[in-house]
Amino acid sequence: MQRINGNISGIRRSYIERLESIHEMETDRREFCTAEMLEALAFFTEATGREAMVYLDRAGRVLAVAAGEQDRVSLPMLRSRRSEERLSGIRCIHTHPGGNSKLSEVDIESLKKMRFDAMAAVGVKDGRPVSMQVGILEDEHAVNLFGLYKAGDIPDDVLWTEIEAADNRIRAAKSKKAGAETARAILVGIAGGDNQTAPPFGRSSAEVKEPLKELSQLADTAGFITVGQVTQPRLKPDKSYYLGSGRLHDLVLEIGRLNADIVIFDDELTPAQIRNIQKELGKTEIMDRTSLILDIFSGRASTHEGRLQVELAETKYMLPRMTGFWTHMSRMGGGGGGSGGARRGEGETQLEVDRRILRKRLHELEKEINKIKSRRDIQRVARERSQIPIAAFVGYTNAGKSTLMNRLSGSSVLAEDKLFATLDPVSRRVNFGCGELLLVDTVGFINKLPHDLVDAFRATLEEARHADLLLHVVNSSSPESERQMKVVSEVLVQLGAGSKPILNVYNKSDITGDFLSDRNSVAVSAKTGAGMEELKKLVMHKLAEQRMEISVLLPPGSGALVSRVYANGQVSDCEYLETGILIKATVNPEDASRLRAQALEEY
C-alpha cells in the first residue's frame, strides 16, 4: 500500500522510504514537530526538488505524509475530523525549496479552507531545514503569522497557546453565528410555459403557488429560511443566465429588498451559468438544486459508506466547475524559491494541480465504493443461499418508508418529517407467520435527482434491483403523489429494476381516509398502525408467487441455463449424471418456465 500521497513518480525508492519513515516517528503531545521529522522532510526536498509535508493530529500522531512539486502546492483534500464549530485538530508542516520559509498565499488559503490548527512552512537549504514560519487563524478570514524561527529553536509552548486561543475564538464566533438569524434564501425556478405569468415579487412563500414547493422543502431541510420566490415563464432555462437577462436584473433588486443571503436555483446550473450569474449577483452566494441536495446528503451521511458515496457525488459535481470556484488562484504562487522573474499562468497551473488532485480522489473513491459493492455482492450471495426472500422499500423521499420499517420490524431506524432523513440501507429480518423474510429500507428518490448522486449511491440502490419484491411506499396525502410515483418508476428503470414485482403501499391513510385495497395495493398508516395486517398478508402472498421449487433433469449441454439458475435462484442440489444434469432449485416463474421447456424429465 502506498504510504505517500501526491506525486512520487520518477523518484528513487530510497528517497521515498526516507519520507515514509515519518510514519514511524513519535512526537510528544505538546511538541509542535520533531527535529527528526524536519530532517526527513528536508532530505526529500533537497534530493528531489519537490515539497514534502506531514499532517499531525493533536495527540502527535502522523495522519498523512505527502509530496508535491516545487511551485505546486498539492495539499491533500483532508476532511475535517472534528465539528465545524472548532479547528480541525490537524496541523500541516511542509517544506519550501530554496530556503524560503515564508508562507505563500496558497498556504494561507489552505489554512483558512481546511481550518488547520496551524500551517508551517520550512525553508530547506543544502539539505537542511533552516527556518520556519507558522500561520494560525485569527478568525475565519484573517491569519496571524509567527516566526521566522530557527529550525532548532521552535517555541512549542507559544505555538500551542496560540492554537488553543484560536480554537476558542473560532468556537465563540461559530456560536455567535449559530445564534444569529438563519441564512435568508430566495428560490428561483422556471414556471414551465409561456402562457404562465410569473408571480409578483414580494409575496411570502405561503402565498406563492406550487412551482417551487419541493425546492422550498429542500431549502427548509438544509436549514435556510425562504424569504422570496422568483419564477420565469420559460419552456427551458436560458443557456447563459438561467433566467432571462431582464428577469435576472429584477432578481438583483429583489435580493437587496429582501436582504437575502443566498439564491437557490431549481435546476443544476452549468459552469457557464454559474460564472455569468455570479458576475451579476456579486457577493451574494448562489446554489443550484444539485448542490443543495448534496449539502443535505453531506449532513445526513453517518456511516463510512454514506460519506464515501456523498463525497464521490460532490467530487463529480465539483470537477467541471472548478474554474469558477478557483479564480482566486490567479493571484497565488507556490511556496518554493525561484529566480524572482515573472512566472506565466501561476493560477492556471494551480487550477490544473487541483483538478489532478480531484481526479485522483475521484479514482480512489470509485475504487473504495467498488470494494463495498463487492462486499455487498458476497453478502447478497450468502442471503440467496439461505433462501430468505427480500422485500425492499422504495419510494419518494419523506413518503414514510423508515416509519413503516420501524412499524413492521420493531426497529428504531431514524424517521423524521424531513427529506432524506436516512441515506444508508437498513435491513431487518422479520417473520409474518409464514417464515422469515428480509426487509430492506433504501434512500428516497426525488424529482431531478442528480445523476452523479444516483451513480454514487448505485451500490446502495442496487438492493432494489436484487429484491424479490418492491414495496413502493406512496404518500397518499400529497397532491403530487401521482407525479412522485412516476419519478420513482423512472429511477427504478434507470437502476434496472423496472420489471420487478411491485406492491403499492399507500401510506398516511389516517389523513386521506378510506382506500380500497386490491392484490397489488394496500392502504396503511405507519403512524397509527392501520392496515399492517393486510400489508403483511399481501407481502407473503406476493413473495409466494415469486418463488417455486422445481426438480428437473436437463440435457448434458445445459450449462448456461444452470448458471442462470445459480445466479437468479437458490440451488439445493445439482448432480451431473451420464443422462444429463439433475437440478433441484427454488426459482422465479420465468426461470421455472425455462427449466420446464428444456427438461428431459420433471420430478
Side-chain angles (χ1 to χ4, degrees):
M1 177 180 175
Q2 181 177 310
R3 304 179 70 194
I4 304 297
N5 297 297
N7 183 4
I8 56 173
S9 61
I11 296 177
R12 286 186 188 178
R13 184 61 206 168
S14 60
Y15 298 162
I16 295 173
E17 288 174 352
R18 179 69 186 276
L19 195 59
E20 286 178 335
S21 68
I22 293 176
H23 282 286
E24 278 66 56
M25 295 179 186
E26 296 181 357
T27 60
D28 184 84
R29 189 179 185 88
R30 298 294 295 182
E31 195 170 13
F32 189 77
C33 65
T34 66
E36 188 181 17
M37 284 181 179
L38 295 183
E39 290 288 346
L41 292 170
F43 172 84
F44 181 87
T45 294
E46 182 69 19
T48 64
R50 303 184 188 185
E51 296 176 354
M53 54 206 78
V54 59
Y55 297 87
L56 305 169
D57 67 12
R58 291 192 182 178
R61 291 186 293 258
V62 176
L63 301 178
V65 181
E69 298 178 359
Q70 183 178 350
D71 290 334
R72 295 187 181 186
V73 181
S74 304
L75 297 175
M77 307 293 278
L78 289 177
R79 284 183 169 269
S80 171
R81 294 162 63 96
R82 305 176 70 192
S83 165
E84 290 188 1
E85 295 178 356
R86 307 183 66 177
L87 295 178
S88 67
I90 301 170
R91 60 191 182 275
C92 172
I93 296 99
H94 71 289
T95 58
H96 286 175
N100 176 18
S101 58
K102 290 186 177 181
L103 291 168
S104 69
E105 290 291 331
V106 172
D107 298 335
I108 291 172
E109 285 300 317
S110 297
L111 170 62
K112 294 177 183 177
K113 179 182 176 183
M114 304 300 292
R115 291 184 297 105
F116 286 130
D117 279 1
M119 171 69 77
V122 181
V124 175
K125 192 171 184 180
D126 299 327
R128 303 279 299 175
V130 291
S131 59
M132 174 190 288
Q133 186 175 62
V134 181
I136 298 173
L137 288 175
E138 170 65 29
D139 54 38
E140 290 182 329
H141 308 291
V143 173
N144 293 325
L145 299 178
F146 300 89
L148 305 172
Y149 300 122
K150 290 183 179 179
D153 190 21
I154 299 170
D156 297 323
D157 290 340
V158 171
L159 294 177
W160 275 115
T161 299
E162 292 296 335
I163 289 172
E164 290 165 357
D167 204 9
N168 291 331
R169 287 193 300 269
I170 296 294
R171 206 167 13 165
K174 288 287 185 181
S175 292
K176 184 176 179 181
K177 188 174 181 180
E181 185 179 356
T182 306
R184 298 161 60 85
I186 291 178
L187 310 182
V188 178
I190 301 301
D194 293 331
N195 61 339
Q196 300 183 32
T197 58
F201 286 123
R203 295 176 65 181
S204 69
S205 58
E207 295 172 306
V208 178
K209 291 189 177 180
E210 299 300 314
L212 300 178
K213 180 179 179 180
E214 190 167 85
L215 186 64
S216 178
Q217 291 177 313
L218 286 168
D220 177 64
T221 300
F224 296 108
I225 294 177
T226 299
V227 296
Q229 299 187 10
V230 177
T231 59
Q232 173 80 339
R234 301 176 63 95
L235 292 175
K236 58 182 180 180
D238 180 77
K239 291 182 179 179
S240 299
Y241 295 99
Y242 186 78
L243 298 173
S245 57
R247 194 66 166 163
L248 188 62
H249 176 70
D250 292 339
L251 175 60
V252 174
L253 299 177
E254 193 68 1
I255 290 170
R257 191 182 72 78
L258 294 174
N259 192 27
D261 305 300
I262 186 169
V263 176
I264 304 175
F265 292 82
D266 194 32
D267 292 279
E268 183 173 310
L269 298 177
T270 66
Q273 286 173 330
I274 292 174
R275 185 170 56 251
N276 294 334
I277 293 170
Q278 196 69 73
K279 285 180 182 178
E280 296 295 324
L281 269 53
K283 294 182 179 180
T284 303
E285 186 179 353
I286 65 173
M287 181 179 277
D288 63 12
R289 184 185 180 93
T290 298
S291 59
L292 179 62
I293 293 174
L294 289 173
D295 187 60
I296 295 170
F297 270 53
S298 180
R300 295 298 175 94
S302 58
T303 65
H304 175 63
E305 178 185 353
R307 288 191 291 269
L308 283 176
Q309 290 166 327
V310 172
E311 187 181 353
L312 176 62
E314 288 175 332
T315 304
K316 286 184 174 181
Y317 173 81
M318 179 66 73
L319 193 55
R321 294 168 174 80
M322 286 190 68
T323 303
F325 290 111
W326 292 88
T327 51
H328 65 277
M329 286 299 181
S330 62
R331 302 189 299 275
M332 298 180 188
S339 61
R343 301 186 189 96
R344 187 179 67 175
E346 288 175 337
E348 184 179 359
T349 300
Q350 185 62 45
L351 176 62
E352 288 303 315
V353 171
D354 291 311
R355 276 180 175 155
R356 179 157 27 91
I357 293 172
L358 274 189
R359 290 191 190 101
K360 179 182 177 183
R361 182 58 180 159
L362 183 66
H363 179 66
E364 291 171 348
L365 288 167
E366 287 175 338
K367 284 178 62 177
E368 188 66 26
I369 288 175
N370 283 335
K371 289 180 183 177
I372 292 173
K373 184 178 182 300
S374 297
R375 289 197 295 269
R376 282 190 182 281
D377 290 341
I378 293 170
Q379 293 168 355
R380 189 175 294 119
V381 169
R383 287 204 305 257
E384 289 173 350
R385 284 176 179 166
S386 68
Q387 300 190 20
I388 296 178
I390 302 169
F393 289 108
V394 297
Y396 213 75
T397 181
N398 206 31
K401 297 185 299 299
S402 297
T403 305
L404 194 56
M405 175 80 154
N406 291 339
R407 174 69 68 172
L408 290 172
S409 66
S411 60
S412 55
V413 177
L414 175 65
E416 293 181 311
D417 187 20
K418 285 190 175 183
L419 306 185
F420 305 115
T422 51
L423 298 184
D424 303 300
V426 178
S427 59
R428 296 287 186 270
R429 287 197 181 203
V430 297
N431 192 325
F432 294 160
C434 299
E436 284 192 331
L437 69 125
L438 196 68
L439 289 180
V440 179
D441 189 14
T442 62
V443 64
F445 303 153
I446 196 169
N447 191 31
K448 303 177 187 176
L449 189 65
H451 291 297
D452 289 339
L453 208 54
V454 174
D455 290 341
F457 276 77
R458 188 170 293 274
T460 299
L461 294 170
E462 279 187 348
E463 293 293 337
R465 188 161 66 88
H466 293 280
D468 299 287
L469 175 66
L470 300 182
L471 303 178
H472 182 177
V473 183
V474 181
N475 179 3
S476 60
S477 68
S478 171
E480 297 289 315
S481 59
E482 289 188 10
R483 179 186 63 81
Q484 292 174 357
M485 291 179 72
K486 183 179 178 182
V487 169
V488 172
S489 297
E490 290 172 351
V491 177
L492 289 174
V493 170
Q494 185 179 349
L495 293 170
S499 61
K500 284 285 177 181
I502 293 180
L503 174 62
N504 292 320
V505 182
Y506 292 92
N507 191 25
K508 307 188 182 182
S509 63
D510 54 309
I511 300 174
T512 58
D514 293 336
F515 178 89
L516 186 61
S517 299
D518 57 36
R519 65 189 304 273
N520 294 313
S521 58
V522 60
V524 302
S525 171
K527 182 178 180 181
T528 67
M532 291 299 118
E533 292 306 316
E534 181 67 18
L535 173 58
K536 291 177 183 178
K537 290 177 183 177
L538 279 173
V539 168
M540 297 308 298
H541 179 71
K542 283 281 185 182
L543 288 172
E545 288 181 343
Q546 305 311 315
R547 296 278 170 165
M548 58 182 67
E549 284 192 4
I550 188 169
S551 180
V552 294
L553 180 66
L554 297 174
S558 302
L561 182 55
V562 171
S563 297
R564 178 184 175 89
V565 174
Y566 269 100
N568 297 338
Q570 290 89 39
V571 178
S572 56
D573 189 24
C574 184
E575 188 176 356
Y576 286 80
L577 308 174
E578 290 184 4
T579 54
I581 306 171
L582 180 61
I583 185 168
K584 183 178 181 181
T586 302
V587 296
N588 58 46
E590 181 183 353
D591 284 340
S593 298
R594 290 174 183 268
L595 288 168
R596 288 191 175 113
Q598 294 193 29
L600 298 174
E601 191 173 351
E602 183 176 352
Y603 301 95

